Amino acid sequence: MTAQEEIALDELPLADLRRQPELWQSFLAVQTPWIEAGVTRWLDLVRPDGPWPALVMGAQRPGQTQRLLGTIVGIWAPTAVQRFDDLLEGRCPDGRVGNDRPDGGVWHFIAATVGPDGEGLNLGRRLVGAALDWLVAHTPHAQARTLSPAVGLPRLVTLLPAQDAVREAVLHLANAKGQPALEILRLHLGAGATLDAILGDSRRDEVRSGQVTLRFAYATDPAAREAQKARYQAWLARRAEQIAAGSARRLGEAWQVADAADADVTAA
């Protein structure tokens, strides 16, 4: 039996998550990186009566129903969220709550987090895939986005002139292989997403990102995601060619590359 077959990726009922202390503590243990960084306000969204419809998917080994290897959380809103903190400071405008499952609208996936016991199993992308499969099965007319902090962005911004430094750092700072300098882009673009928006002044408790949120868009059709993965790999290859040819500018451990047909990895 392979590692992939040994992991169950399923929805965790919000009531179970809150009422079963061992399961809740395991959930919190997975979120340790967020908690240690002071990013905790979003935990209050994960309730049956929470202010927005909410989904939690968990990765578990069969038979270990109280122990989580990783999680991903989805928050539903009628339209694509422009500011992450709006989810924390407001309520769903049509009065829907945590356990509601409206069709249409937009599911925003956050906190794709892998605990120490889940490392090496490619769980980050597998959790995203499981969440998209859930969306198709339960709310097939909804769209899929992620709201992801641009962790590491403030350091990269210091390498660039102030004008448009955030967008330049996100799209055009690369490692030696041409991959985005920001790990979060490698995760989502490599899984078949496009960069949908760069949302500044979006999350006041996320200093690691300079309060910037990156919103990614996912197609719900697996074939469309596979085609997007191919476009991403071609984009990486063009950037790597720039670095190999000496046409990229070196900035410390990063390279500043030119537009390598960025439209292939950004939303239209």
Side-chain angles (χ1 to χ4, degrees):
M1 184 175 288
T2 67
Q4 182 127 351
E5 292 170 339
E6 293 171 356
I7 304 302
L9 301 164
D10 296 310
E11 179 182 3
L12 303 174
L14 298 179
D16 290 353
L17 194 62
R18 287 291 189 167
R19 294 174 184 170
Q20 298 179 16
E22 187 177 350
L23 181 60
W24 179 244
Q25 290 305 312
S26 181
F27 177 81
L28 293 178
V30 170
Q31 314 313 324
T32 295
W34 301 98
I35 294 169
E36 290 183 343
V39 183
T40 59
R41 292 188 299 156
W42 65 271
L43 293 169
D44 200 43
L45 301 174
V46 185
R47 307 192 325 263
D49 61 346
W52 305 83
L55 163 73
V56 177
M57 303 287 296
Q60 299 168 303
R61 288 192 170 87
Q64 297 183 3
T65 59
Q66 301 295 304
R67 185 177 181 183
L68 296 168
L69 303 175
T71 62
I72 188 169
V73 175
I75 307 297
W76 183 92
T79 59
V81 168
Q82 300 297 320
R83 181 173 173 269
F84 185 87
D85 281 356
D86 288 345
L87 297 173
L88 308 176
E89 297 165 1
R91 301 190 65 87
C92 190
D94 58 9
R96 297 181 191 273
V97 297
N99 269 341
D100 289 333
R101 295 291 181 263
D103 205 354
V106 184
W107 281 99
H108 301 80
F109 295 106
I110 65 173
T113 314
V114 177
D117 291 343
E119 293 179 357
L121 299 174
N122 194 30
L123 280 185
R125 290 182 182 173
R126 289 168 66 182
L127 283 162
V128 171
L132 294 171
D133 290 344
W134 180 96
L135 185 156
V136 170
H138 295 87
T139 59
H141 298 101
Q143 299 177 32
R145 299 287 188 275
T146 77
L147 296 173
S148 303
V151 174
L153 180 62
R155 180 184 61 82
L156 294 176
V157 165
T158 65
L159 302 175
L160 296 162
Q163 185 176 8
D164 207 24
V166 168
R167 183 171 181 83
E168 186 68 12
V170 170
L171 281 175
H172 295 147
L173 288 188
N175 64 19
K177 298 178 180 180
Q179 298 169 322
L182 289 174
E183 183 178 355
I184 193 65
L185 274 95
R186 300 197 295 269
L187 169 64
H188 289 298
L189 297 183
T194 56
L195 178 62
D196 189 50
I198 300 171
L199 306 176
D201 192 25
S202 176
R203 47 201 312 157
R204 64 177 171 84
D205 59 354
E206 184 50 275
V207 297
R208 300 172 301 172
S209 70
Q211 302 185 356
V212 172
T213 296
L214 302 182
R215 194 177 72 206
F216 294 91
Y218 276 91
T220 54
D221 174 29
R225 294 199 300 274
E226 288 301 315
Q228 183 55 41
K229 289 180 187 179
R231 285 189 285 272
Y232 171 62
Q233 292 300 324
W235 182 73
L236 293 183
R238 291 190 292 270
R239 289 154 59 99
E241 288 170 4
Q242 289 184 32
I243 295 170
S247 58
R249 178 186 177 200
R250 185 156 187 178
L251 299 171
E253 296 182 359
W255 279 258
Q256 185 180 14
V257 297
D259 184 336
D262 295 340
D264 280 354
V265 296
T266 58

